[in-house]
Amino acid sequence: MTGEHGVGRLKRPWLVNSIGHDALELNYRVKKALDPKNILNPGAIYDPAALQ
């Protein structure tokens, strides 16, 4: 675990292997529900185009 900014962006390619597709999909749904206009940290984990 780290508090450094940007570390998660570096690990993005391996995220699904780390937490699994189901957990990633759940996180995506929560993000979309709480931030439908994608204004909170856009592009940090999910492709901004996918959140439209």
Side-chain angles (χ1 to χ4, degrees):
M1 177 157 298
T2 182
E4 291 183 50
H5 294 278
V7 171
R9 291 174 193 237
L10 295 173
K11 295 180 179 181
R12 184 178 5 191
W14 303 281
L15 186 58
V16 74
N17 290 332
S18 178
I19 67 171
H21 181 69
D22 292 342
L24 187 62
E25 177 66 24
L26 177 61
N27 279 282
Y28 170 77
R29 289 178 182 210
V30 170
K31 164 72 171 162
K32 194 171 179 181
L34 298 176
D35 185 21
K37 294 185 179 181
N38 196 32
I39 59 173
L40 303 174
N41 211 5
I45 298 296
Y46 309 104
D47 178 7
L51 294 174
Q52 300 304 321

